[in-house]
Amino acid sequence: MSNPSKVTKAEEFEPRIVAFLCKWCSSAGSDLAGVSRIQYSANATPITIPCSGSVSPMFILSAFNKGADGVLISGCHPGDCHYMEGNYLARRKLYLVKELLQFIGLESERFRMSWVSAAEGAKFAEVVDEFVEDLRVLGPQNRLKAKR
Amino acid sequence: MVNVEEIRDYAANLLGKGEVKSVLGFRRGSASAFAEPCTITDVGEAASLVWDPTCLNNLTLYLVKDHKQQAAAKTPDNRPVGIVAKGCDSRAIGVLLQENYFKREDVVVIGVSCEGTGVVDPRKLSAKLKGRTASRVSFYGADGINVRVYGEETETVIPAQEVLADRCLECRAAIPTLNDIVFGEAVGAREFDEPFHAAKAAESLSADERWATWEHHFDRCLRCFACRAVCPMCYCPECVVDSTTFVVTLGTSAEEKANRIRWCERSANTSESAVYHLTRAIHLAGRCIDCGECERVCPVNIPLRLLNTKLEKEAFEMFEYQAGHDIEQASLLSSFRDEDPNSFIR
């Protein structure tokens, strides 16, 4: 990730989100939001991945470790996976990751998952906006962030 | 009551007929009352095998080590290995078989039933004895442990619930389900503590309290990797914290070194240790069979078992999955059901 913009105390806290987007749907959905000129928060850094099922828990932990305030994972709706069942496997795996992060005391709002298809540009914008607002309330994520 | 003579005879018989190349078991330790793991290759040595509540180790680890050794050997000995296995150990073998790590015919499981008790937690025992050292620890029955202290004539009976390891109190299956033979009576469910008791207690705290606890634990982690070394499921040839494939040669530029992906630094600070332990916990989701070895060997007493049992609890309650129960079953993370929880996704 790029260097954090310097936040002075007077400035408002801007949450930084790492968004892992499925190549086949959510990534195209974010593109659609862009070409449709939908206004939404610019806080998410999108990373295109082949499938939500290919998300390793390492990606999420690493994002938090390197200073993300929130992690969003977005994939195809159940039944629409390009690889037949990737999103079902993702759902099970990420449910466990979410439970584990909550268990050690990370706020549950910081890790989010959504199903966004290539036709849902408006929904993508909505998901990001909502996430940013929730993170703004929570403040910076310092629990898993590396102190360097 | 398990008759140790029967185990010895069985092991001697296996070795005598040459059906196994070795038998993994426990013998009397030289340092204390606690038993130590041993590999027996000779019929005569079988007489040194023991079985009592001090047989803590999960011997499955040595099956994995043997497998690695044989794979590297020029003239591998392909005969099976005999192993003395408790309920939890047999489940560990089950998970390895499920993952095709080795074949069923490569191992002869000499099952021993814990018969309603389990193994003693050395820390609990030494606290109970207030600094004195036990010279002998044995089963008293289903609800007691006999302890003889050095320099004392009589034996004391301590209620099992007070000295048994936490995992034994919560154990749901004390009988080796995967076995070639079982010694001892089959006593299944125990009623010391409800299953997942500790994980449920930890869950009931607030998020801030939980983080305060875990921050304290992760901060103390020395990164000695004893938890990884002792775990029979941590057999990956390469681990995220090692990154052995990144070879630094004379030609490696500073930029290449700087740009290589480091998922997790080896330095022992809170956030890196958190990443290491969480990755390990997730890696063991649906594979951890709750033998409690990671927690036992931890030099700074991090309750590592709690992280694993939390995920086992979710696997059990949400996905009706129990690690090592059915070796034909697809693993937890490589299968799914339509009715898996969906409500947390927007």
Coordinates of all heavy atoms in Angstrom, one line a residue, chain B residues 82-128:
Chain B
G82 N 4.0 -48.9 14.3 CA 3.0 -49.0 15.3 C 3.0 -47.8 16.2 O 4.0 -47.1 16.4
I83 N 1.8 -47.4 16.7 CA 1.8 -46.2 17.5 C 0.7 -46.4 18.6 O -0.4 -46.9 18.4 CB 1.5 -44.9 16.7 CG1 1.3 -43.7 17.5 CG2 0.2 -45.1 15.8 CD1 1.3 -42.4 16.8
V84 N 1.1 -46.0 19.8 CA 0.2 -46.1 21.0 C -0.6 -44.8 20.9 O 0.0 -43.7 21.0 CB 1.0 -46.2 22.3 CG1 0.0 -46.1 23.5 CG2 1.8 -47.5 22.3
A85 N -1.9 -44.9 20.8 CA -2.7 -43.6 20.5 C -3.8 -43.5 21.5 O -4.6 -44.5 21.7 CB -3.1 -43.6 19.1
K86 N -4.0 -42.3 22.1 CA -5.2 -42.0 22.8 C -6.3 -41.6 21.9 O -6.0 -41.5 20.6 CB -4.8 -40.8 23.8 CG -3.7 -41.0 24.7 CD -3.5 -39.8 25.6 CE -2.8 -38.7 25.0 NZ -1.4 -38.8 24.8
G87 N -7.4 -41.2 22.4 CA -8.5 -40.7 21.5 C -8.1 -39.6 20.6 O -8.3 -39.6 19.4
C88 N -7.5 -38.5 21.2 CA -7.1 -37.4 20.4 C -6.0 -37.7 19.4 O -6.0 -37.2 18.3 CB -6.7 -36.2 21.3 SG -5.7 -36.6 22.8
D89 N -5.1 -38.6 19.8 CA -4.0 -38.9 18.9 C -4.6 -39.7 17.7 O -4.1 -39.5 16.5 CB -3.0 -39.8 19.6 CG -2.4 -39.2 20.8 OD1 -2.8 -38.1 21.1 OD2 -1.6 -39.9 21.5
S90 N -5.5 -40.5 17.9 CA -6.1 -41.3 16.8 C -6.8 -40.4 15.8 O -6.8 -40.6 14.6 CB -7.0 -42.4 17.3 OG -8.3 -41.9 17.5
R91 N -7.4 -39.3 16.4 CA -8.1 -38.3 15.5 C -7.0 -37.6 14.6 O -7.2 -37.3 13.5 CB -8.9 -37.3 16.3 CG -10.3 -37.8 16.5 CD -11.1 -36.9 17.4 NE -10.7 -37.1 18.8 CZ -10.6 -36.1 19.7 NH1 -10.9 -34.9 19.4 NH2 -10.3 -36.4 20.9
A92 N -5.8 -37.3 15.2 CA -4.8 -36.7 14.5 C -4.3 -37.6 13.3 O -4.1 -37.1 12.2 CB -3.6 -36.4 15.4
I93 N -4.2 -38.9 13.6 CA -3.9 -39.8 12.5 C -5.0 -39.8 11.4 O -4.7 -39.8 10.2 CB -3.7 -41.2 13.1 CG1 -2.6 -41.3 14.1 CG2 -3.4 -42.2 11.9 CD1 -2.5 -42.5 14.9
G94 N -6.3 -39.7 11.9 CA -7.4 -39.6 11.0 C -7.3 -38.4 10.1 O -7.6 -38.5 8.9
V95 N -6.9 -37.2 10.6 CA -6.8 -36.0 9.8 C -5.7 -36.2 8.7 O -5.9 -35.9 7.5 CB -6.5 -34.8 10.6 CG1 -6.3 -33.6 9.7 CG2 -7.7 -34.5 11.5
L96 N -4.6 -36.8 9.1 CA -3.5 -37.0 8.2 C -3.9 -38.0 7.1 O -3.5 -37.8 5.9 CB -2.2 -37.6 9.0 CG -1.6 -36.6 9.9 CD1 -0.5 -37.3 10.7 CD2 -1.0 -35.4 9.2
L97 N -4.7 -39.0 7.5 CA -5.2 -40.0 6.4 C -6.1 -39.3 5.5 O -6.1 -39.5 4.3 CB -5.8 -41.2 7.1 CG -4.9 -42.1 7.9 CD1 -5.8 -43.1 8.6 CD2 -4.0 -42.8 7.0
Q98 N -7.0 -38.4 6.1 CA -8.0 -37.7 5.3 C -7.2 -36.8 4.2 O -7.7 -36.6 3.1 CB -8.8 -36.8 6.2 CG -10.0 -36.2 5.7 CD -10.7 -35.3 6.7 OE1 -10.2 -35.2 7.8 NE2 -11.8 -34.7 6.3
E99 N -6.1 -36.3 4.6 CA -5.3 -35.4 3.7 C -4.3 -36.2 2.9 O -3.5 -35.6 2.2 CB -4.5 -34.4 4.6 CG -5.5 -33.5 5.3 CD -4.7 -32.5 6.3 OE1 -3.5 -32.7 6.5 OE2 -5.4 -31.6 6.8
N100 N -4.4 -37.6 2.9 CA -3.6 -38.4 2.2 C -2.1 -38.2 2.4 O -1.3 -38.3 1.6 CB -3.8 -38.3 0.7 CG -5.1 -38.9 0.3 OD1 -5.4 -40.0 0.7 ND2 -5.9 -38.2 -0.6
Y101 N -1.8 -37.9 3.7 CA -0.4 -37.7 4.0 C 0.3 -39.0 4.0 O 1.5 -39.1 3.5 CB -0.3 -37.0 5.4 CG 1.1 -36.5 5.7 CD1 1.7 -35.4 4.9 CD2 2.0 -37.1 6.6 CE1 3.0 -35.0 5.1 CE2 3.3 -36.7 6.8 CZ 3.7 -35.6 6.1 OH 5.0 -35.2 6.3
F102 N -0.3 -40.0 4.6 CA 0.2 -41.4 4.4 C -1.0 -42.3 4.2 O -2.1 -41.8 4.3 CB 1.2 -41.8 5.5 CG 0.8 -41.5 6.9 CD1 -0.4 -42.1 7.4 CD2 1.5 -40.6 7.6 CE1 -0.8 -41.8 8.7 CE2 1.1 -40.3 8.9 CZ -0.1 -40.9 9.5
K103 N -0.7 -43.6 4.0 CA -1.8 -44.5 3.8 C -2.2 -45.2 5.1 O -1.4 -45.4 6.0 CB -1.5 -45.5 2.7 CG -1.3 -44.8 1.4 CD -1.1 -45.9 0.3 CE -0.5 -45.4 -1.0 NZ 0.9 -45.1 -0.8
R104 N -3.4 -45.8 5.1 CA -3.9 -46.5 6.3 C -2.9 -47.7 6.6 O -2.7 -48.0 7.8 CB -5.3 -47.0 6.1 CG -5.9 -47.7 7.2 CD -6.1 -46.8 8.4 NE -6.6 -47.5 9.6 CZ -5.9 -48.1 10.5 NH1 -4.5 -48.0 10.4 NH2 -6.4 -48.7 11.5
E105 N -2.4 -48.3 5.6 CA -1.6 -49.5 5.8 C -0.2 -49.1 6.3 O 0.6 -50.0 6.6 CB -1.5 -50.4 4.6 CG -1.0 -49.7 3.3 CD -2.2 -49.2 2.5 OE1 -3.2 -48.8 3.0 OE2 -2.0 -49.2 1.2
D106 N 0.1 -47.8 6.4 CA 1.4 -47.4 6.8 C 1.5 -47.3 8.4 O 2.5 -47.0 8.9 CB 1.8 -46.1 6.2 CG 2.1 -46.1 4.8 OD1 2.3 -47.3 4.3 OD2 2.1 -45.1 4.1
V107 N 0.3 -47.5 9.0 CA 0.3 -47.3 10.4 C -0.5 -48.3 11.1 O -1.5 -48.8 10.6 CB -0.2 -45.8 10.8 CG1 -1.5 -45.6 10.2 CG2 -0.2 -45.6 12.3
V108 N 0.0 -48.8 12.3 CA -0.8 -49.8 13.1 C -1.1 -49.0 14.4 O -0.3 -48.7 15.1 CB 0.0 -51.0 13.4 CG1 -0.8 -51.9 14.4 CG2 0.4 -51.8 12.2
V109 N -2.4 -48.7 14.5 CA -2.8 -47.9 15.7 C -3.2 -48.8 16.9 O -4.1 -49.6 16.8 CB -4.0 -47.0 15.3 CG1 -4.4 -46.2 16.5 CG2 -3.7 -46.2 14.1
I110 N -2.3 -48.7 17.9 CA -2.6 -49.5 19.1 C -3.3 -48.5 20.0 O -2.7 -47.7 20.7 CB -1.3 -49.9 19.8 CG1 -0.4 -50.7 18.8 CG2 -1.5 -50.8 21.0 CD1 1.0 -50.9 19.2
G111 N -4.7 -48.6 20.0 CA -5.5 -47.6 20.7 C -5.5 -47.9 22.2 O -5.6 -49.0 22.6
V112 N -5.5 -46.8 23.0 CA -5.7 -47.0 24.4 C -6.8 -46.0 24.8 O -6.8 -44.8 24.5 CB -4.5 -46.7 25.3 CG1 -3.6 -47.9 25.4 CG2 -3.7 -45.5 24.8
S113 N -7.8 -46.5 25.6 CA -8.9 -45.7 26.0 C -8.5 -44.9 27.3 O -7.8 -45.5 28.1 CB -10.1 -46.5 26.3 OG -11.1 -45.8 27.0
C114 N -8.8 -43.7 27.4 CA -8.5 -42.9 28.6 C -9.4 -43.3 29.7 O -9.3 -42.9 30.8 CB -8.6 -41.4 28.3 SG -7.4 -40.8 27.2
E115 N -10.4 -44.1 29.4 CA -11.4 -44.6 30.4 C -12.0 -43.5 31.2 O -12.0 -43.6 32.5 CB -10.7 -45.7 31.2 CG -10.3 -46.9 30.4 CD -9.9 -48.0 31.3 OE1 -9.3 -47.8 32.2 OE2 -10.4 -49.1 31.0
G116 N -12.5 -42.5 30.6 CA -13.2 -41.5 31.4 C -12.4 -40.5 32.1 O -12.9 -39.5 32.7
T117 N -11.1 -40.6 32.1 CA -10.2 -39.6 32.7 C -9.5 -38.9 31.6 O -10.0 -38.3 30.8 CB -9.3 -40.1 33.8 OG1 -8.5 -41.1 33.3 CG2 -10.1 -40.5 35.0
G118 N -8.2 -38.9 31.7 CA -7.4 -38.3 30.7 C -6.0 -38.1 31.1 O -5.5 -38.9 32.0
V119 N -5.3 -37.1 30.7 CA -3.9 -36.9 31.1 C -3.8 -35.7 32.0 O -4.6 -34.8 32.0 CB -2.9 -36.7 29.9 CG1 -2.9 -37.9 29.0 CG2 -3.3 -35.5 29.1
V120 N -2.8 -35.7 32.9 CA -2.6 -34.7 33.9 C -1.9 -33.5 33.3 O -1.0 -33.6 32.4 CB -1.7 -35.3 35.0 CG1 -1.2 -34.2 35.9 CG2 -2.6 -36.3 35.8
D121 N -2.3 -32.3 33.7 CA -1.6 -31.1 33.3 C -0.5 -30.8 34.3 O -0.8 -30.6 35.5 CB -2.6 -29.9 33.3 CG -2.0 -28.6 32.8 OD1 -0.8 -28.5 32.9 OD2 -2.8 -27.7 32.3
P122 N 0.8 -30.8 33.8 CA 1.9 -30.7 34.8 C 1.8 -29.4 35.6 O 2.2 -29.4 36.7 CB 3.1 -30.7 33.8 CG 2.7 -31.2 32.6 CD 1.2 -31.0 32.4
R123 N 1.3 -28.3 35.0 CA 1.3 -27.1 35.7 C 0.2 -27.1 36.8 O 0.5 -26.7 37.9 CB 0.9 -25.9 34.7 CG 2.0 -25.6 33.8 CD 1.6 -24.6 32.8 NE 2.5 -24.6 31.6 CZ 2.1 -24.4 30.4 NH1 0.9 -24.2 30.1 NH2 3.0 -24.4 29.4
K124 N -0.9 -27.7 36.5 CA -1.9 -27.8 37.5 C -1.4 -28.7 38.6 O -1.7 -28.5 39.8 CB -3.2 -28.4 36.9 CG -4.0 -27.5 36.1 CD -5.4 -28.1 35.7 CE -6.1 -27.3 34.7 NZ -7.3 -28.0 34.3
L125 N -0.7 -29.8 38.3 CA -0.3 -30.8 39.3 C 0.7 -30.1 40.2 O 0.7 -30.2 41.4 CB 0.3 -32.0 38.6 CG 0.7 -33.1 39.6 CD1 -0.5 -33.7 40.3 CD2 1.5 -34.2 38.9
S126 N 1.7 -29.4 39.6 CA 2.7 -28.8 40.5 C 2.1 -27.7 41.4 O 2.6 -27.5 42.5 CB 3.9 -28.3 39.7 OG 3.6 -27.1 39.1
A127 N 1.1 -27.0 40.9 CA 0.4 -26.0 41.7 C -0.3 -26.7 42.9 O -0.3 -26.2 44.0 CB -0.6 -25.2 40.9
K128 N -0.8 -27.9 42.6 CA -1.6 -28.6 43.6 C -0.6 -29.2 44.6 O -1.0 -29.2 45.8 CB -2.3 -29.8 42.8 CG -3.4 -30.5 43.6 CD -4.6 -29.6 43.5 CE -5.6 -30.1 44.5 NZ -6.7 -29.1 44.8

